Amino acid sequence: MEPAPSDLGADALSDELLEIGALAEQAAPTRQFCVFRAGRERFCLPVLEVDEVVDWPLMTKVPLAPPFLMGVFNLRGTIIPVVDIAVTEGRRPGLLPRSVIVAVISGAEQDEDVLLGIASDEVIGTFSASAEAILDHAPPDIPYCRGMLRHEERLALIVDMRQLIHVLAVPLI
């Protein structure tokens, strides 16, 4: 039977509290990211913004759509627009992405959440990152990125979903 905290001496209790505090300092807060490849570039989203990843669906083209809008698809009764954030690189004809990252853009208090698909050539995985692994600066020519994530000796651009829909003027349904 373990002694109750009141049975412990003051020194033992303070030593235990110091040990717990040291362990808490060592375990720096981490964030989880879903890392994927679109074209030749690696991108990532916070895991909390990813609803799901689906294999490349049957896509319906949208007439007179901008080049970045690949089309829309039906996900269990919800129409999801799919954007290609690697549109500037150009895709080879007939070579479609492998999957769609379905991201959630949280609505304000009275607004509903919005789903948006991002074309992905490869889902690399999920990674935990401490604050030191996240760089606050991003390439100026990619305005919908808010920083970079260091993982596996590489960098992935962190996509800002709100900025993405504003910069590309994505039609949301």
Side-chain angles (χ1 to χ4, degrees), residues 80-151:
I80 311 286
V82 177
V83 297
D84 185 5
I85 57 179
V87 69
T88 56
E89 297 177 15
R91 293 195 180 273
R92 291 189 307 210
L95 184 63
L96 292 174
R98 289 186 182 169
S99 56
V100 175
I101 310 286
V102 180
V104 177
I105 303 167
S106 299
E109 291 178 14
Q110 297 161 341
D111 296 334
E112 291 184 24
D113 292 348
V114 175
L115 298 176
L116 177 68
I118 299 175
S120 168
D121 295 307
E122 174 186 16
V123 177
I124 297 165
T126 58
F127 295 89
S128 295
S130 62
E132 296 85 40
I134 300 171
L135 306 173
D136 286 334
H137 58 282
D141 59 334
I142 306 177
Y144 49 81
C145 290
R146 65 174 175 233
M148 293 184 278
L149 169 71
R150 269 192 233 133
H151 74 98

Side-chain angles (χ1 to χ4, degrees), residues 18-30 130 132:
L18 286 173
E19 185 178 318
I20 291 170
L23 289 174
E25 286 178 16
Q26 289 175 356
T30 61
S130 62
E132 296 85 40

Side-chain angles (χ1 to χ4, degrees), residues 1-172:
M1 182 166 147
E2 300 222 4
S6 60
D7 295 343
L8 296 174
D11 291 337
L13 187 57
S14 64
D15 287 345
E16 186 175 333
L17 290 174
L18 286 173
E19 185 178 318
I20 291 170
L23 289 174
E25 286 178 16
Q26 289 175 356
T30 61
R31 293 174 55 193
Q32 293 268 326
F33 288 90
C34 174
V35 179
F36 61 96
R37 186 177 55 79
R40 290 173 284 191
E41 192 66 59
R42 284 183 179 214
F43 295 93
C44 64
L45 286 169
V47 167
L48 295 176
E49 292 181 14
V50 176
D51 190 49
E52 64 183 289
V53 177
V54 295
D55 288 335
W56 192 253
L58 178 62
M59 195 74 56
T60 301
K61 297 278 186 191
V62 178
L64 304 174
F68 65 82
L69 185 62
M70 298 188 81
V72 296
F73 76 101
N74 185 336
L75 179 65
R76 294 183 298 281
T78 303
I79 304 301
I80 311 286
V82 177
V83 297
D84 185 5
I85 57 179
V87 69
T88 56
E89 297 177 15
R91 293 195 180 273
R92 291 189 307 210
L95 184 63
L96 292 174
R98 289 186 182 169
S99 56
V100 175
I101 310 286
V102 180
V104 177
I105 303 167
S106 299
E109 291 178 14
Q110 297 161 341
D111 296 334
E112 291 184 24
D113 292 348
V114 175
L115 298 176
L116 177 68
I118 299 175
S120 168
D121 295 307
E122 174 186 16
V123 177
I124 297 165
T126 58
F127 295 89
S128 295
S130 62
E132 296 85 40
I134 300 171
L135 306 173
D136 286 334
H137 58 282
D141 59 334
I142 306 177
Y144 49 81
C145 290
R146 65 174 175 233
M148 293 184 278
L149 169 71
R150 269 192 233 133
H151 74 98
E152 294 184 344
E153 306 294 322
R154 294 182 173 214
L155 293 173
L157 298 168
I158 302 171
V159 177
D160 182 336
M161 292 304 295
R162 291 194 183 282
Q163 192 65 19
L164 176 72
I165 61 174
H166 290 300
V167 169
L168 296 182
V170 177
L172 298 176

